[in-house]
Amino acid sequence: MITMDDIIREGHPTLRRVADEVTFPLSDEEIQTGEEMLTFLKNSQDPELAEKLNLRGGVGLAAPQINISKRFTALHVPGEEGQAPTLSTVMYNPKIISHSVQDAAMADGEGCLSVDREVPGYVVRHARVTVTYVDAKGQNQKIKLKGYEAIVVQHEIDHLNGVMFYDHINTDAPFKIDRGVLIVE
């Protein structure tokens, strides 16, 4: 089981490395690791389990964050109260194939399981993205995401490219935002 102790923190060189493509068929270890990453996210969103296991809440976890420099990430974005998750999957070799002209940013900024401090500022990303990836069964997938889900996927794909969320923040004016940027609550 993955815990907070397995997650490497900012400053670790793996977080700045461009991860290697995953080859197919997937190894049993890659499938198992993806499942464990998804379980971590589900557990981190359960208040009782999160407290018991000392987990910080998360909606995405990329393999480089557990010191595996390979291109896969788990995502578990909860739905509204009592609703099914809006996105719950493991993506192998995810790739953004198209995106909107409009940009978006989270109203409260972004956080990261690998960053133990608050970094204030708007993280400007694309408001909508189309992503291709391969699932754990080796099937090609293509999904269109907008708003929060699009932001989460871009954050995780950044990890696969050695990019941290705060790299997107304007260091001179962290809360400066261009006209037309969608603010996601």
Side-chain angles (χ1 to χ4, degrees), residues 19 33 45 74 89-91 99 106 110 135:
T33 301
Q45 293 173 27
T89 191
V90 179
M91 297 180 171
H99 61 79
M106 295 297 300
E110 291 184 23
D135 65 20

Side-chain angles (χ1 to χ4, degrees), residues 8 12 17 21 33 37 50 55 60 69 82-83 86 89 99 113 116 126 130 136 152 154-155 164 175 178:
I8 60 176
H12 192 290
R17 191 174 303 143
E21 291 267 321
T33 301
M37 290 164 60
L55 305 178
S69 193
Q83 299 293 312
T86 57
T89 191
H99 61 79
L113 293 167
D116 291 330
H126 305 296
T130 301
V152 170
Q154 290 171 83
H155 178 115
M164 300 295 283
F175 290 100
D178 291 337

Side-chain angles (χ1 to χ4, degrees), residues 11-30:
H12 192 290
T14 300
L15 291 173
R16 289 299 190 174
R17 191 174 303 143
V18 175
D20 297 326
E21 291 267 321
V22 177
T23 56
F24 295 92
L26 294 169
S27 70
D28 290 343
E29 184 180 358
E30 289 164 335

Side-chain angles (χ1 to χ4, degrees), residues 9-182:
R9 303 308 203 276
E10 64 180 319
H12 192 290
T14 300
L15 291 173
R16 289 299 190 174
R17 191 174 303 143
V18 175
D20 297 326
E21 291 267 321
V22 177
T23 56
F24 295 92
L26 294 169
S27 70
D28 290 343
E29 184 180 358
E30 289 164 335
I31 293 168
Q32 168 98 25
T33 301
E35 288 172 2
E36 288 179 13
M37 290 164 60
L38 195 54
T39 298
F40 170 91
L41 295 173
K42 291 175 183 176
N43 290 346
S44 81
Q45 293 173 27
D46 178 310
E48 286 179 25
L49 276 175
E51 186 176 342
K52 180 181 164 192
L53 301 171
N54 197 27
L55 305 178
R56 280 180 39 209
V59 292
L61 182 63
Q65 291 179 273
I66 55 170
N67 205 20
I68 298 172
S69 193
K70 291 186 178 180
R71 298 186 76 78
F72 65 99
T73 183
L75 303 129
H76 188 75
V77 181
E80 295 295 318
E81 190 72 34
Q83 299 293 312
T86 57
L87 180 64
S88 186
T89 191
V90 179
M91 297 180 171
Y92 295 89
N93 295 339
K95 199 171 284 163
I96 296 170
I97 58 166
S98 67
H99 61 79
S100 60
V101 172
Q102 184 179 32
D103 287 332
M106 295 297 300
D108 296 332
E110 291 184 23
C112 180
L113 293 167
S114 292
V115 179
D116 291 330
R117 62 190 173 98
E118 278 199 33
V119 184
Y122 288 127
V123 180
V124 179
R125 301 186 181 280
H126 305 296
R128 291 179 304 283
V129 293
T130 301
V131 178
T132 59
Y133 67 97
V134 181
D135 65 20
K137 294 178 179 142
Q139 301 295 308
N140 291 322
Q141 302 291 334
K142 180 178 170 181
I143 57 172
K144 293 181 181 209
L145 302 167
K146 64 182 180 180
Y148 184 59
E149 290 83 0
I151 288 170
V152 170
V153 166
Q154 290 171 83
H155 178 115
E156 298 310 318
I157 290 175
D158 270 357
H159 276 303
L160 306 180
N161 294 320
V163 176
M164 300 295 283
F165 75 92
Y166 47 74
D167 296 342
H168 295 282
I169 297 173
N170 178 334
T171 51
D172 297 329
F175 290 100
K176 181 177 181 281
I177 201 94
D178 291 337
R179 247 169 69 149
V181 173
L182 178 69

